Every structure is written in structure tokens, then in C-alpha cells.
Amino acid sequence: MPRPGRVTGHTATERQFRVLCTATGPTGFVFGLLCLDTFRAQAWPPAPRAALAAWLLVFGIPVLLGIFATWAPLRLLRALALAEGVVFLAILGFWLVVRAEPLPAGADIPWVISLTGIPAVAVAAATRDRIGWAYTVLVCTLSGILRSATSTDPHPVLVGVEDSLYALLVISVFVGLTIMSRRGAARVDDSARITRAAVAGRAARVARKRERLTIDALVHDSVISTLLMAGRGGIPTERLSRHAASTLDRLDALRMPRSNRSQPGSEVSDRLEQLAAELAPDAIVQADLDENLAVPAVAVTALLGAVGEALRNSVAAAALGAHHRVVRTVSVRGYHGGIRVVVLDDGVGFDPALVPSERLGIAQSIIGRMERLSGGAARVRSRPGAGTEVEVSWTPEPRRPAAIASDGAAAVQRPASGAGPLEAAEHPEPAPAVAMTTPDAQPAPPLSDAATIEIEAPRTVVRLPRPLSLGILAMFIGVHALLAFGDYEPLFGLPWEIAGFVAVAAAAILIARAAGVDQLSSTASIGVLVLSAAATALVSYPMTAVQDTPFGHWYLGAVTLLLVVLAVRGREGYAWTGYLIMSAITIAWALSNGLTVVDGVLLVVRHAGTLLAGTLFAVGLKRSALTLAVLNRARALSAAAAATAVAAIEERESQLAQVNVLCRPTLERLARSDDICPEMRAECLLVEATLRDAMRARALFVEPLVTATRAARLRGVEVTLLDDSGDHPPVEAARVAAAVADQLDSLYSGRLTARVLPAARATIASIVIESEDNRMLVVTPDGLLRDA
């Protein structure tokens, strides 16, 4: 027998359909066996082979559906489901046209109508909702007509109506569950598509930000440093040429595939020693790394970049303010299976609280760079007059938060301002008139965060909408009232039947009241079992072994339907416990009335097929939902990985193209120069300032502001452009840039600071002008310029 839940499929809709097909197989097999004796007694004498073929088709197609459910194409499964519906209608039509005559007493129920529910559910699963409901009403009506035509009861029309309504009630539950589970699966598929798009979009944004920050760090460490050394003078031309050539090589290397090769500890130590010898020849390097230590290339690159930035800042700070010979040490040690490097000096130090927020040195080149590295961490401690300590590390295990410095020293650990404190010494500039946080300066979140969006899984329990649930409840009570009291029965058993009917109705109402929850509570489930057992005992107690009414044992079907609802509401164990209780009471009744155990079992065994169908549906849907949740997450991660790769390449190419346009000609001239003239030094400073604008003011780095800024700087105006909007630039950014350009065109001296503000502010930008007439302007959300 196929195991429910072992289904394939990439969407919830497909998996839900396969679950239904899987459940159809064993259900059809069980019902086929249960009606085998009836079929043999009712086989059409003129054509026994045709009758056998009809029986094999109507019961064999569901079995084939169950066998093929896990691997066959959906088109084949749908064709088989529709074929089942057509074959069943054809057999019903044959009975109505050719054999519409009373059958022998005691065997007047045509075998074919025992299976009405299976083709109805198959058609509902394979077609649209309206077609499924229409088919259900049609086959239930035809089954009732056929039942009335073959009945030997004195009131055949009443029997046909009762049979038709009962079939409609039972099948409506299964068809309703089928349709609602299909709708739920379609919603899950829509949600999964939206979620995958959201995850991929976020992953792409993270990847773009990482690439920007990576290139920004390279630009800051190499390009800007080289341009500043050239612009300020004091560095031998030969050394500047080497720096420029090395910077060009680094820019070119970014276009090459990134190596995944790990480097041994000795090689990492050698590279760190070479770096220290080049940037700070007087630094003392103390290296003690295990030869067997393997450090990934990406970690080596990050460590070298961060240590290089720390050494450059230390040398620059000493040149600007130290009154004694600064002692620098670079300590390289193993650390939790990884590596830790500490750069320590006894220089002038600094106060992190006094560093302007737009500085990028430590925030990007040290802390940001290491925290973007999986397993990386960084810490910077300093205070005025007490030197500076920079610690960077990489560990292969998940990163733990770095400890915050104590002993009275000011600590900088991923500062909210995104500032690079040591950069104040490297590139001293006046503080801007307006100080804001720079969100873009903060490290990008790790890529894995892009996949933490919750991915909705299909419900493991199917709920009917309240209107449909109330409609079925009303039909349940009405149909069973007709079955219980519509026949001509002895009056002495009427009080017991009324009590049993009340118990059944109460159990149905108890289930319907909990329609708004996924899983029925244990208390409610036990209540349903108690009421069902009471109904079975009450109605059967006055009954005799000779039962002339066609629906004398109506309570067994009613209780079974309640147990089916328990199963699909996530209480399969309670449902089968209730079935066992019902079976025990029925067998006890049979024995007390002179019947055998087999007689009692035969009364309840056909109801096992109905409960089995509901249980297979519930269990299969639950297993499928769990599998699909894993599949959806894997697909979301795959989409995120693909989006990351594409976005990273696109962003890298875009950023490198911009950097090359802005600085490559100047760097190439520096790399070839034997002597640097004053005009070239001025050009280097101008290119360096433009690069800073591109990094710190992305929303403002557009024309006509780029041209206006260059012209203003050539006239001697100090220009600072900042962007605090992060990943949410204002819609009117172009109008802000145009307004700043207009102000710059009218300035011939002084200083202008333009800042795009965070999205939550009442204004979107501020412009501070320090000239002959100091003033501050703001830009409103609609792009209008006004005085502050």
C-alpha cells in the first residue's frame, strides 16, 4: 500500500494533488474489497465479462492513481482522475437505462453507488471548484434515483431521497476539504513566490552593499591614500609610482575570479611582515602561527587590508602630532583555531567621540571589513595620550561578539556613527556644521540573513471556511434527522433514538464551534468521543436483530463522519479510538441480540473505508507540508544565492567602471612619472575629493552637481557632500543635487556642506554655507528649497 506523504512535486498545489491521488489508492482498494460480494451477486448475467470490466475500471483506476501518485506526470494523473469520473457516470447511466429494476430484498443497493465519493473527490481534485461541486451534486442525485429504482422498500422514493442526501452530505465534506486544501496550496505557492522574490531581492541588496563596501575599502586604502600622498608631497616619486602601480594591480585583480585557496600560517605571517615593512618599517613584528593553520584567501585579504589601514593611520597620526618616537608592534598569534593580529602603538591616541561621523577609515576599512567577513571581528581602543590598539581576528567557528574595552579607555566597536576615528589624524579637516549618522558606513549584514524571512508552509490541518462549515453542519443535522425519524419505526425505541440524535447533533456542534482553530483541542476531541459513544449505545440499545428500515443503523454513518472530521482536524488517534469504541459497542449489541461477532464487524467494517480516506488525506497532507517547507526554504536559498552572484558581479562592474573613470588616468600618470609637478599634485587632490564624494554622497553624485563641485573646488571653495539616507535615497534626490549645484555656482570662497538626511526626517536635505553671509537651507520632501 502506498505510504501517504511520500510524494514528489515542487509546488504546494502539485503536492496537494498527489496527496489526494495517494489517498485515493488504498481507499478505492478497500471499498472494492468491501463490495466484492455485492458485485458478484449483482453481476449482469447477459454480459458477465463486461460487468467485470466495469468493476475493474471503477475500482482499478483509483488504485492506479495511488500507485502512480508519487512519480507519474501530473497530466497523466489528471487524466486518470477524469477517467474515473467519466467511467462512474457511464456505469450509473447503464444501471439507470438498462437495469432500473428492483433488486432482491436485502441486496437492493447497487454495488456501484458504494463508491460515489471516490470519483467525486477525484474530479474535484483535477478540475475547477464549480465543476467539482456540480459533479458531486449530479452523481449524488443519480445515485439516489438509482437507489429508489432498485429498492424493494414500500417507499422507494423516500429511500432514494434519503440515500441521495446522505451521499451528498458525506461527499460534500470530502469535496469541501479537497477544494479548500487546493486553495490553501495555491495561496502557499503565491506566498512562496513572493517570499523567494523578497529573499532574492534582499540578498541582492546585501550583495550590492558588500561589493560597494569592498570596493570602497580598496579605494580608501589604496587609491585615496596614493592620491593624498601625491597631492601633499613629501613622498619620494619612486615610492609614489610603486604605490600607483600596485593600486592599479589591485583594481584589475577585482575583475578576476576570487581564489578559494587557503594559505598556511607561515605564508600569512610572511605577508603581514612584508606589509609592515612597506608601510611602517620601524614596526616590530612578532609572529607565532602554526604551520598547519589554514586561512582562507578571503580572510587573508581582509586581515591584510585591516592591518594595512591601522598601520597607515598610526604613521599618519604620528607625523601630525607625536612629540616622541612612536613604538609600534604587530603581534600575530593563533586564536581559537584561527588568527588574531594586534597593532599597538604608544602615539597620541584620539577621542572617538570627537571624530566626525562621515569618516570612513575604521568603520569601513577595519571594523566594517572584518565584520563583513564570516568569522571576522575587530576592536579598536584608544584615548588621547595613551596610544591606540587595533585588534582584528578570524575564527572558523561562528563569530562571537567582541568584548568591549574596559579600564577607562574609550572603546570603538562597530560604532553607530560609522566613523573611522583614526582617520581624523590621517586626513584632518574641519568638522562639518551639521553632524549626522552615516548608515551606509555601517557593515552590511551577513548574506545568510537574507534567507531568514519566514517562508509559509502549507497548513497541516485543513479548515473549512465558516459559511461552508455551518452549511455542512445544518445539512448534517437535517439529513440525519430525516434518516432517524423519516422511516416507519416502532414507537418504543423513539425516546432512545431522540437521545442518540441529540448526542450526535451536540458532537457536530462542538466540532463546528472550533472551526476557527487549526487543531481541535483534546477536551473537545474527548467530548466528541463521549457523545459519539453515547449515541451509538442509545440508538442501538432498543434495536432488534431484524431491522426492516433501510437506514436503521444511520448512527454508524453519522459517528463515522464525525470521526473523519476529527482526523482531518489533526486528531487521527482520537478518530480511530472513537471507531474502536463504536465497533466494540456494535459487536456487543450484536452478541446481545443473538448475532455473532462477524455480524457486528460487518456492520461497521464498511465505515472503516470512509475513515481511512479521511486519515490518509490528513496524514499525507501533514507529511507533504513538512517536506514542502524544507523544499521552499531550499528554493529560497537557491534564489538568494543566484541573486547574490548576479548582483555582486553587476555591482562590482558598475563600481569599478566608476572608479576607473574617476581615477585611473591619474593613477597611470603617477605610475609612469619620474617627477610630479604642482599641477599634477593639485589634480590628485581634486580626484581624491571627487572619489570621497562618490563614496560618502551616492545620492548626490550626479550631474550637474559633480561638475559644479569640481568647478567650485578649483575656485577654492571647500565642499563636503554627505549622504545619510542609506539604502533609501529620497525620490527628489535629483532636485536636491540641482539645488546644491545652484548654490555652488554662486560661491567663490568659503565652505559648503550638503547632506542628504535620513528618511525619517521632516526635510530631506540640508545645505550649510559658511561664507560672507553664513546661512543654512533645507530641502522639503517635495524638492523645494527654503531657509532653515
mmCIF file of all heavy atoms in Angstrom, residues 505-527:
data_model
loop_
_atom_site.group_PDB
_atom_site.id
_atom_site.type_symbol
_atom_site.label_atom_id
_atom_site.label_comp_id
_atom_site.label_asym_id
_atom_site.label_seq_id
_atom_site.Cartn_x
_atom_site.Cartn_y
_atom_site.Cartn_z
ATOM 1 N N ALA A 505 -25.938 15.358 17.232
ATOM 2 C CA ALA A 505 -26.006 16.776 16.860
ATOM 3 C C ALA A 505 -25.109 17.615 17.764
ATOM 4 O O ALA A 505 -24.439 18.560 17.313
ATOM 5 C CB ALA A 505 -27.449 17.256 16.938
ATOM 6 N N ALA A 506 -25.081 17.275 19.063
ATOM 7 C CA ALA A 506 -24.229 18.027 20.003
ATOM 8 C C ALA A 506 -22.758 17.866 19.641
ATOM 9 O O ALA A 506 -21.974 18.827 19.713
ATOM 10 C CB ALA A 506 -24.488 17.565 21.428
ATOM 11 N N ALA A 507 -22.366 16.645 19.263
ATOM 12 C CA ALA A 507 -20.970 16.427 18.864
ATOM 13 C C ALA A 507 -20.631 17.234 17.614
ATOM 14 O O ALA A 507 -19.541 17.823 17.506
ATOM 15 C CB ALA A 507 -20.728 14.938 18.612
ATOM 16 N N ALA A 508 -21.560 17.286 16.660
ATOM 17 C CA ALA A 508 -21.318 18.066 15.442
ATOM 18 C C ALA A 508 -21.189 19.550 15.757
ATOM 19 O O ALA A 508 -20.327 20.250 15.215
ATOM 20 C CB ALA A 508 -22.448 17.822 14.441
ATOM 21 N N ILE A 509 -22.038 20.049 16.634
ATOM 22 C CA ILE A 509 -21.968 21.467 17.019
ATOM 23 C C ILE A 509 -20.664 21.757 17.750
ATOM 24 O O ILE A 509 -20.040 22.809 17.557
ATOM 25 C CB ILE A 509 -23.186 21.829 17.897
ATOM 26 C CG1 ILE A 509 -24.473 21.741 17.065
ATOM 27 C CG2 ILE A 509 -23.021 23.224 18.491
ATOM 28 C CD1 ILE A 509 -25.740 21.900 17.885
ATOM 29 N N LEU A 510 -20.219 20.826 18.589
ATOM 30 C CA LEU A 510 -18.959 21.006 19.314
ATOM 31 C C LEU A 510 -17.788 21.147 18.344
ATOM 32 O O LEU A 510 -16.903 21.989 18.548
ATOM 33 C CB LEU A 510 -18.739 19.816 20.250
ATOM 34 C CG LEU A 510 -17.480 19.847 21.124
ATOM 35 C CD1 LEU A 510 -17.491 21.061 22.041
ATOM 36 C CD2 LEU A 510 -17.375 18.565 21.945
ATOM 37 N N ILE A 511 -17.794 20.358 17.287
ATOM 38 C CA ILE A 511 -16.729 20.474 16.285
ATOM 39 C C ILE A 511 -16.847 21.785 15.525
ATOM 40 O O ILE A 511 -15.854 22.478 15.287
ATOM 41 C CB ILE A 511 -16.785 19.275 15.320
ATOM 42 C CG1 ILE A 511 -16.430 17.977 16.051
ATOM 43 C CG2 ILE A 511 -15.826 19.490 14.155
ATOM 44 C CD1 ILE A 511 -16.541 16.743 15.191
ATOM 45 N N ALA A 512 -18.079 22.148 15.144
ATOM 46 C CA ALA A 512 -18.278 23.366 14.354
ATOM 47 C C ALA A 512 -17.894 24.620 15.131
ATOM 48 O O ALA A 512 -17.408 25.590 14.557
ATOM 49 C CB ALA A 512 -19.731 23.456 13.904
ATOM 50 N N ARG A 513 -18.067 24.602 16.444
ATOM 51 C CA ARG A 513 -17.722 25.777 17.251
ATOM 52 C C ARG A 513 -16.223 26.036 17.243
ATOM 53 O O ARG A 513 -15.781 27.160 17.456
ATOM 54 C CB ARG A 513 -18.196 25.579 18.693
ATOM 55 C CG ARG A 513 -19.699 25.668 18.863
ATOM 56 C CD ARG A 513 -20.068 25.613 20.330
ATOM 57 N NE ARG A 513 -19.468 26.738 21.065
ATOM 58 C CZ ARG A 513 -19.535 26.875 22.392
ATOM 59 N NH1 ARG A 513 -20.154 25.940 23.119
ATOM 60 N NH2 ARG A 513 -18.986 27.909 22.981
ATOM 61 N N ALA A 514 -15.435 25.003 17.010
ATOM 62 C CA ALA A 514 -13.973 25.154 16.977
ATOM 63 C C ALA A 514 -13.465 25.280 15.550
ATOM 64 O O ALA A 514 -12.324 24.944 15.259
ATOM 65 C CB ALA A 514 -13.321 23.953 17.659
ATOM 66 N N ALA A 515 -14.311 25.800 14.654
ATOM 67 C CA ALA A 515 -13.916 25.891 13.243
ATOM 68 C C ALA A 515 -12.790 26.884 13.022
ATOM 69 O O ALA A 515 -12.100 26.828 12.011
ATOM 70 C CB ALA A 515 -15.118 26.286 12.387
ATOM 71 N N GLY A 516 -12.584 27.807 13.945
ATOM 72 C CA GLY A 516 -11.572 28.833 13.736
ATOM 73 C C GLY A 516 -10.171 28.456 14.154
ATOM 74 O O GLY A 516 -9.251 29.258 14.015
ATOM 75 N N VAL A 517 -9.979 27.242 14.683
ATOM 76 C CA VAL A 517 -8.644 26.821 15.120
ATOM 77 C C VAL A 517 -8.146 25.712 14.212
ATOM 78 O O VAL A 517 -8.923 24.993 13.587
ATOM 79 C CB VAL A 517 -8.663 26.340 16.593
ATOM 80 C CG1 VAL A 517 -9.066 27.471 17.514
ATOM 81 C CG2 VAL A 517 -9.620 25.166 16.759
ATOM 82 N N ASP A 518 -6.825 25.582 14.136
ATOM 83 C CA ASP A 518 -6.246 24.575 13.250
ATOM 84 C C ASP A 518 -6.499 23.160 13.760
ATOM 85 O O ASP A 518 -6.883 22.271 13.007
ATOM 86 C CB ASP A 518 -4.737 24.807 13.105
ATOM 87 C CG ASP A 518 -4.431 25.922 12.137
ATOM 88 O OD1 ASP A 518 -5.327 26.284 11.366
ATOM 89 O OD2 ASP A 518 -3.298 26.431 12.163
ATOM 90 N N GLN A 519 -6.261 22.938 15.031
ATOM 91 C CA GLN A 519 -6.374 21.598 15.580
ATOM 92 C C GLN A 519 -7.369 21.594 16.736
ATOM 93 O O GLN A 519 -7.334 22.463 17.602
ATOM 94 C CB GLN A 519 -5.011 21.097 16.063
ATOM 95 C CG GLN A 519 -5.001 19.629 16.440
ATOM 96 C CD GLN A 519 -3.623 19.167 16.862
ATOM 97 O OE1 GLN A 519 -3.039 19.730 17.784
ATOM 98 N NE2 GLN A 519 -3.099 18.154 16.195
ATOM 99 N N LEU A 520 -8.276 20.642 16.702
ATOM 100 C CA LEU A 520 -9.267 20.531 17.757
ATOM 101 C C LEU A 520 -8.563 20.238 19.081
ATOM 102 O O LEU A 520 -7.615 19.460 19.135
ATOM 103 C CB LEU A 520 -10.243 19.400 17.411
ATOM 104 C CG LEU A 520 -11.688 19.564 17.884
ATOM 105 C CD1 LEU A 520 -12.305 20.792 17.248
ATOM 106 C CD2 LEU A 520 -12.502 18.328 17.517
ATOM 107 N N SER A 521 -9.022 20.860 20.150
ATOM 108 C CA SER A 521 -8.393 20.651 21.454
ATOM 109 C C SER A 521 -8.657 19.232 21.952
ATOM 110 O O SER A 521 -9.600 18.556 21.518
ATOM 111 C CB SER A 521 -8.934 21.665 22.464
ATOM 112 O OG SER A 521 -10.306 21.412 22.725
ATOM 113 N N SER A 522 -7.844 18.803 22.880
ATOM 114 C CA SER A 522 -8.025 17.475 23.471
ATOM 115 C C SER A 522 -9.362 17.373 24.183
ATOM 116 O O SER A 522 -10.062 16.341 24.099
ATOM 117 C CB SER A 522 -6.886 17.172 24.449
ATOM 118 O OG SER A 522 -5.646 17.152 23.788
ATOM 119 N N THR A 523 -9.747 18.442 24.874
ATOM 120 C CA THR A 523 -11.032 18.425 25.594
ATOM 121 C C THR A 523 -12.190 18.255 24.627
ATOM 122 O O THR A 523 -13.098 17.438 24.846
ATOM 123 C CB THR A 523 -11.192 19.728 26.393
ATOM 124 O OG1 THR A 523 -10.100 19.866 27.296
ATOM 125 C CG2 THR A 523 -12.502 19.720 27.160
ATOM 126 N N ALA A 524 -12.153 19.035 23.519
ATOM 127 C CA ALA A 524 -13.226 18.930 22.529
ATOM 128 C C ALA A 524 -13.227 17.549 21.876
ATOM 129 O O ALA A 524 -14.281 16.966 21.614
ATOM 130 C CB ALA A 524 -13.082 20.018 21.482
ATOM 131 N N SER A 525 -12.036 17.016 21.607
ATOM 132 C CA SER A 525 -11.947 15.693 20.974
ATOM 133 C C SER A 525 -12.523 14.614 21.878
ATOM 134 O O SER A 525 -13.266 13.728 21.426
ATOM 135 C CB SER A 525 -10.484 15.381 20.636
ATOM 136 O OG SER A 525 -9.940 16.347 19.758
ATOM 137 N N ILE A 526 -12.186 14.669 23.155
ATOM 138 C CA ILE A 526 -12.735 13.689 24.103
ATOM 139 C C ILE A 526 -14.251 13.840 24.198
ATOM 140 O O ILE A 526 -15.007 12.857 24.268
ATOM 141 C CB ILE A 526 -12.072 13.859 25.477
ATOM 142 C CG1 ILE A 526 -10.579 13.486 25.395
ATOM 143 C CG2 ILE A 526 -12.777 13.008 26.531
ATOM 144 C CD1 ILE A 526 -9.815 13.767 26.655
ATOM 145 N N GLY A 527 -14.719 15.102 24.182
ATOM 146 C CA GLY A 527 -16.165 15.334 24.217
ATOM 147 C C GLY A 527 -16.866 14.707 23.018
ATOM 148 O O GLY A 527 -17.953 14.119 23.159
#
